[in-house]
Amino acid sequence: MKRKPFERIQEWRDKRKKEDPGYFAKYHREWRIKNPVKYLLRKALNRAQQDGKEVSIVESDINIPEICPVLKTPFSFEGGVNNSPSLDRFDCSKGYVKDNIEVISWRANKLKSDGTLEEFRSLVEWMEKRKEEKGG
């Protein structure tokens, strides 16, 4: 009986996992480092599909600058996640459309993820007041 191509691929994957459990994680990490724009686009497509959001961007719409425009830190494609590039939707009610996306650091995107502008202003005001009180 002839095996289907998918079955052969699955058998290869299963064998590879047994021989080298870290192979796929290592391969994925290396691919992500070599293809950051493709990676960001793929992640956006997956998130949009889960959330039912529009996606009309292509690779050429994604520009990864040298530093995060929010936190002014250089992007890191290896190591920790905080300085890795992240595709931000400025208006979360909209999908991944050209005029609604920008690459910022994961940390900046996480900070921005569920706060409003008014909440951020209040937070900064409180932090500045506490710093003055503590003599900082």
Side-chain angles (χ1 to χ4, degrees):
M1 183 170 146
K2 188 174 182 180
R3 293 178 302 163
K4 296 178 181 176
F6 176 76
E7 291 172 345
R8 288 194 307 264
I9 292 169
Q10 191 61 47
E11 287 173 8
W12 177 85
R13 285 182 181 163
D14 292 343
K15 181 181 175 189
R16 192 70 166 148
K17 284 180 186 178
K18 287 178 185 174
E19 292 172 357
D20 183 2
Y23 172 79
F24 290 103
K26 180 182 173 191
Y27 174 82
H28 178 71
R29 182 176 170 274
E30 289 173 356
W31 183 87
R32 188 179 71 233
I33 291 167
K34 290 178 186 174
N35 303 285
V37 171
K38 288 180 190 222
Y39 175 75
L40 291 176
L41 181 58
R42 181 183 289 179
K43 295 291 281 185
L45 292 170
N46 289 339
R47 278 190 306 273
Q49 186 177 25
Q50 288 174 339
D51 300 340
K53 298 286 186 187
E54 175 188 2
V55 179
S56 62
I57 58 171
V58 294
E59 284 183 36
S60 60
D61 295 328
I62 300 172
N63 175 38
I64 302 176
E66 295 282 321
I67 62 168
C68 171
V70 178
L71 300 178
K72 310 298 186 218
T73 55
F75 285 116
S76 172
F77 296 91
E78 299 182 47
V81 70
N82 281 339
N83 291 325
S84 64
S86 174
L87 194 57
D88 175 58
R89 288 178 295 142
F90 186 74
D91 181 346
C92 293
S93 68
K94 296 180 182 177
Y96 292 90
V97 295
K98 188 175 182 173
D99 294 334
N100 194 43
I101 62 161
E102 186 165 359
V103 176
I104 63 176
S105 69
W106 182 89
R107 174 78 174 139
N109 209 347
K110 182 67 176 163
L111 289 169
K112 178 187 166 288
S113 67
D114 62 359
T116 65
L117 190 55
E118 291 77 26
E119 289 171 327
F120 292 130
R121 285 183 178 133
S122 295
L123 177 63
V124 169
E125 183 179 308
W126 175 80
M127 290 174 74
E128 287 174 339
K129 182 179 175 186
R130 292 285 292 161
K131 186 176 180 180
E132 288 175 13
E133 289 173 359
K134 298 290 182 184

